[in-house]
Each structure stands twice: as structure tokens, then as C-alpha cells.
Amino acid sequence: MEVWFQDEARVGQKGRMVRRWFQRAMRPRMVKDQRRSAYILGAVCPARDTGAAIVLTHVSVIAMTLLLEGVAAQLPAGTHAVMLIDNAGWHIASDLRVPPNISLIHLPPYSPELNAIEKVWTRDR
């Protein structure tokens, strides 16, 4: 039995509407920074000092399924993983396919301190 921790993080800028300098008495709105964000879906097992991650332009049930399949492939034969995750929509969706060697445990709402992978996303470890 192994304990895994899973979470995702968005990196990059998200475009937003801003005002810009223009002709006198005119303040047109425009979108600032059209670059897309990237999402890192990651899972770690502190006991074995290992992990798995994927980087995509979006998060979804399919993305979560891909991460779970990656974790399942890394597990030693005969090992079952218990993965602590939050209650994001793609974690609790009915069409999420969880491999047979992984069990998901959903953490209480608003409790990131219970998920050890949150330390990965912070700079002050």
C-alpha cells in the first residue's frame, strides 16, 4: 500500500480585459496578453520519492484519467495506491476512470494543508 498526493496548478498568464492609451477622450478596451496558460497535473509518493505529472492546456476528466493511468503504470506489481485529492469537478465526475490498483480519497473542502503536494507548488518549502 502506498499513499499518493495529487493536485494541479495553472502556470502562465490569463488574458483579461484592460484599458489602454489611445486618442484623447477615447479609452478603448482590449485583451491583454493573449498567451495561453498551461496546467500541471501532478501526483507524488513521498515514501518512494517518486511522482508523475502531465502538462496540458486545460484540465478535464480525460486529463485526470491520463494522470491516473500514468501513476498506475509506475506502481510496483501487487501494490495498491491510495491517492488523496481535493473535490475538483474532474475528480468527482462519474465518468472518471480510476485504475483498479488506485483508490481515491477526497479531502474535506478548503483544506489544502492536508495535501502534501501543495508544498510542491509553493516557493518557500
Side-chain angles (χ1 to χ4, degrees), residues 2 8 43 45 49 53 81 89 105:
E2 289 183 352
E8 53 280 324
C45 175
D49 195 26
I105 296 182

Side-chain angles (χ1 to χ4, degrees), residues 2-125:
E2 289 183 352
V3 178
W4 284 69
F5 300 91
Q6 189 279 328
D7 199 22
E8 53 280 324
R10 181 180 62 82
V11 293
Q13 295 183 1
K14 191 169 187 175
R16 59 186 169 93
M17 297 298 288
V18 296
R19 297 208 181 260
R20 60 175 269 213
W21 289 101
F22 201 67
Q23 296 174 359
R24 189 174 184 93
M26 294 181 68
R27 298 285 302 230
R29 293 174 60 90
M30 66 177 286
V31 176
K32 180 181 180 183
D33 199 347
Q34 295 284 337
R35 291 177 289 176
R36 295 183 62 122
S37 298
Y39 291 88
I40 304 170
L41 284 82
V44 295
C45 175
R48 275 199 304 132
D49 195 26
T50 190
I54 57 173
V55 179
L56 299 170
T57 59
H58 65 284
V59 289
S60 65
V61 173
I62 295 170
M64 184 64 188
T65 300
L66 288 172
L67 178 67
L68 291 174
E69 289 171 356
V71 170
Q74 288 191 17
L75 293 174
T79 302
H80 190 85
V82 175
M83 187 176 291
L84 281 75
I85 61 174
D86 57 25
N87 290 297
W90 48 89
H91 295 167
I92 59 174
S94 60
D95 54 341
L96 178 65
R97 292 178 302 178
V98 181
N101 58 343
I102 296 178
S103 295
L104 302 179
I105 296 182
H106 297 278
L107 296 170
Y110 309 107
S111 58
E113 69 278 358
L114 298 177
N115 197 343
I117 197 171
E118 293 289 346
K119 296 280 187 191
V120 173
W121 312 130
T122 63
R123 292 182 186 190
D124 55 325
R125 292 181 204 128

